[in-house]
Each structure stands twice: as C-alpha cells, then as structure tokens.
C-alpha cells in the first residue's frame, strides 16, 4: 500500500468515526501472534495521546502509552513485566524490546477475547521522542504488520480460521482435494462433514453457472435450524466452519478481513 493510499484510508476512518475516550472495543483470536497484530493495528490508528488498557475476561489488565501512531511503552501498574513500566521504547534493536514482546505474548497466552479501553494519557505521556511505530515493532517482534494481507491461499485460510476464535464449533481445512486439518468435538465434526459434503458437491460442480471465478476468493454462508455453515474458498485451499447462526455476521467480517 502506498503512503498516499494509507493516508486516504486513515482520513476515511477518521471521518467515519472518532473514538471517544473511555470507549471499549474488543479484539479476539485463537492465535497469540494474531492478537499482537490486532494490537499493532490499534496502535497504528491511535493519533492522540492515549492510555490503552488491555483487559482479559478475568479482569487482568495491561496498560500501554500510545501517541502519534507509536507505542511509547508499558505503563504502571504492571503486575507482569514491572521492570519495563515507564521505560520508553526508542530503539527496536535494544534487547529489552524482545522482553516487552514476551510480556505481551504471556498476557495474550493461547488467545481469546480481550477488551481495549482508550483514555487520555495525561502525565504518563513519555514525550515526543518516545515510541516505535507499529511497522517497526512488527519487524522487531516477527509478527504481521497492520494491513499486511496474506497472499498465499493457504495463509489466507489459516488467517481466517485464526480470526474466528470461539465462534467456530467445528472446522475442516482443505488443501486441494484433501482435508489437512480439523477441529471440534466428534458430534459437531460429523454434522459439519455431512453438510459440507452435500454443499461442496453442488458448489464445486455449479459455481461456473452462477459466475463464480474458480481462481478467486469467495465466502458462502448457509443457515439452517440450530446453526450455520460458512464455506471459505481461496484457490486450491478452503475451509468449512460450523458456527452459531448469530455469529454469521462476525464470521463474514473475519473472512473479509482475511482477504482484504
């Protein structure tokens, strides 16, 4: 993405909606590295000085200083990584920057849903010289940068499945004509497999008749009594997911984010 396009996108977001101090948002993924990327996206979209508070469902919290689209550092109180609190990020090559990543990784653990609250930074502002951009941190922490879309079909499908978190009760990951991975309890998998076999037979044999490009990326949802199925198709890779009917909107949004 060019700098000009990136600026246009940022202006469009600011026009649509300015995030008010104290507003709570949520990030969710079953993958810790994906959560780091989602956090970097929040940082990349924060221009005014803000204290970002990450919180688990159990009430554990982590506080970050962010300003001018840069992460300034960890703020007190900090039960984990206390030695890092109040220490400004300046040089991505400093050894302790890796310790910061490890502290965030330990906080996110194996994934889940976390809330983010942005409040005014106030006296905790570490100054204009402090902070590293999301792009620099992504490279230092070896995670995907915000807006860095996967281009390999297998990576697109993997990214989509990671984004779903607890919305997926069962899933099948397909490469070519083989199921290469799956998840969920036996009953849910059996239900999904039966439905997927019927759907895919009709879809793969007739998609040309309804104008679906065989080499493109497509998402198709099918709702039924007691649940829904979402089929994600990306070239030679695909995924079929069993989800609650009420989660279809979130699942479709996750698919759009994976192919954006």
């Amino acid at each position: 993405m060019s700098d000009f396009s990136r600026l246009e996108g940022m202006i469009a977001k600011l026009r649509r909606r300015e995030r008010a101090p104290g507003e709570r948002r949520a990030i969710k993924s079953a993958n810790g590295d994906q959560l780091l990327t989602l956090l970097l996206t929040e940082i990349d979209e924060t221009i005014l000085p803000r204290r970002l508070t990450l919180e688990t469902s159990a009430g554990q919290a982590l506080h970050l200083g962010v300003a001018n689209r840069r992460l300034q550092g960890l703020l007190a109180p900090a039960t984990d990584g206390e030695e890092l609190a109040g220490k400004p990020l300046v040089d991505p090559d400093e050894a302790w920057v890796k310790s910061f990543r490890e502290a965030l990784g330990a906080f996110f653990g194996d994934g889940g849903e976390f809330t983010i609250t942005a409040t005014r930074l106030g006296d905790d502002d570490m100054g204009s010289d402090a902070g590293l951009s999301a792009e620099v941190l992504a490279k230092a922490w070896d995670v995907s940068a915000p807006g860095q879309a996967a281009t390999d079909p297998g990576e697109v499908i993997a990214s989509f499945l990671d984004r779903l978190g607890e919305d997926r009760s069962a899933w099948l990951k397909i490469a070519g004509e083989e199921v290469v991975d799956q998840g969920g309890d036996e009953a849910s998998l059996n239900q999904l497999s039966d439905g997927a076999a019927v759907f895919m037979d009709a879809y793969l044999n007739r998609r040309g008749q309804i104008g679906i490009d065989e080499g493109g990326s497509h998402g198709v949802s099918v709702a039924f009594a007691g649940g829904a199925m979402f089929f994600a198709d990306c070239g030679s890779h695909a995924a079929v997911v069993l989800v609650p009917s009420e989660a279809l909107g979130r699942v479709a949004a996750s698919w759009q984010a994976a192919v954006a």
Side-chain angles (χ1 to χ4, degrees), residues 32-66:
D33 283 356
Q34 179 63 34
L35 284 166
L36 278 173
T37 295
L38 294 174
L39 173 60
L40 291 178
T41 300
E42 292 285 332
I43 292 166
D44 195 48
E45 296 179 357
T46 301
I47 299 173
L48 298 176
R50 290 289 183 258
R51 180 186 184 95
L52 295 189
T53 298
L54 300 172
E55 193 170 357
T56 69
S57 57
Q60 296 172 306
L62 201 64
H63 309 276
L64 304 174
V66 181

Side-chain angles (χ1 to χ4, degrees), residues 145-157:
Q148 188 180 80
T151 55
D152 177 80
E155 291 179 3
V156 170
I157 294 299

Side-chain angles (χ1 to χ4, degrees), residues 96-107:
W96 72 272
V97 174
K98 182 178 180 181
S99 299
F100 200 141
R101 188 226 193 277
E102 291 170 353
L104 287 169
F107 182 79

